Amino acid sequence: MNSERVFSGIQPSGEIHIGNYLGAVKRWVELCDDHDAIYCVVDDHAITVEYDPSRLPAMTFDASLATMACGLDPEKCTIFVQSHVPEHTELTWLFNTVTPLGSLFRMTQFKDKARNALQRKLTRKEGGAMKTAIHNLKTLGGEALEGLDELKKDLDSLDPDTRDDVAIGETVARMNDRMGNIMQRLQVGLGVAEASTALFGYPVLQAADILLYKATLVPVGEDQEQHLELCREVAQRFNKKFGEVFPVARRIKSEAPRILGLDGKSKMSKSLGNHIGMLDSTEEITAKLKNAYTDPQRIRRSDPGRPEICNVFSIHGFFTEPDVRDELAQGCRKGTIGCFDCKKVLAQSMDAELAPIRDRADHLRRHKGLVIDALDAGRQRCSDIASQTMEEVREVMGVGHGVFAGLGK
Ligand code: TRP
């Protein structure tokens, strides 16, 4: 076995779709052959946004089941649930001490999620909420602008040649207050004031996930590159301050960097409803593909199409044999094969890959113990590794009950 350790995580926030599968899980399965692979269902990450605690256990279970149905074999890799190994959260706290706020503020996923939550609030139609929200936003924005004017005056009044330390001190203190007030208002406008601290710290928890096991390879989609950069920054800052403890992890790219949804516009995602679920039935797949976006210039069947810009054709690339694909492309260009037929072929080739996965999922659902036992074995193995790493970390940081050993009695 290759000595390099692979670690990756998946959120239990709903069904796994073909975007998750092609972008990540399929690669996870391949990596089991020659790596020490650890895969985690990240429930501690899922609770950083609004969620229903009564439904979370079933969702965590379903996500675990789905990864096994997709081909993760607990004999060949380690599968576990994040919150079952509490060291993840302990290490997160310790990592918080070496994580600059500025690095977290740059994270685009945090900004996106915060903005989306604000937008949902703004567009909620009931009870004039929208009116109030817009009124508040305008007031805040106005106050921030006034603050900027005042700030400018203070800045202009700062004279580098003056000898009056007291006056400078007062101006600087006033500026600092103004900047704080402006920032508070901007935070509300960005939606980040209402976001949870846990959502802000999400990437630190992700760094802890990876580094708790000293993993060096992380198979995730390109949308996670920024989080991995943060993971590297945390490891480097930690090592610099406390000594070489952590390796530097890098992303393993998948063959499918970006899977567009059936709307052909945004990344495939469950929340946008533009996805095909890994466990969708033959009928559901067919029905969803029927409405999928194709070459917009192709209105009639006889119109010559452009497979190279057609999203349905690009999905064929992952499921359909090359010779069949070539035939479809030719027929599309000549206007002899219509989108309807092309989608029918895609439904068939997708179904061929998904049917065995569905069968495995059915089997696991009838034998839940298989999933529960796999997760339990995973928890035990991960707990062992985690407790070793934490002993090392606590010692170099000078915390934990072991630290008095050196003091004598
Ligand atoms: N943030 C990742 C995602 O949304 C999930 C994740 C959590 C993860 N912890 C991880 C991925 C550790 C890789 C390694 O896809």
Side-chain angles (χ1 to χ4, degrees), residues 7-11 28 40 42 45 82 109 113 202 205-207 209-210 218-221 223-224 227-228 267:
F7 186 99
S8 197
I10 192 159
Q11 292 233 24
W28 294 12
C40 179
V42 294
H45 275 113
Q82 189 181 33
Q109 191 177 77
K113 284 193 179 180
Y202 179 115
L205 176 59
Q206 184 163 344
D209 293 341
I210 298 165
V218 186
V220 278
D223 62 320
Q224 294 297 311
H227 287 165
L228 276 188
K267 183 181 151 177

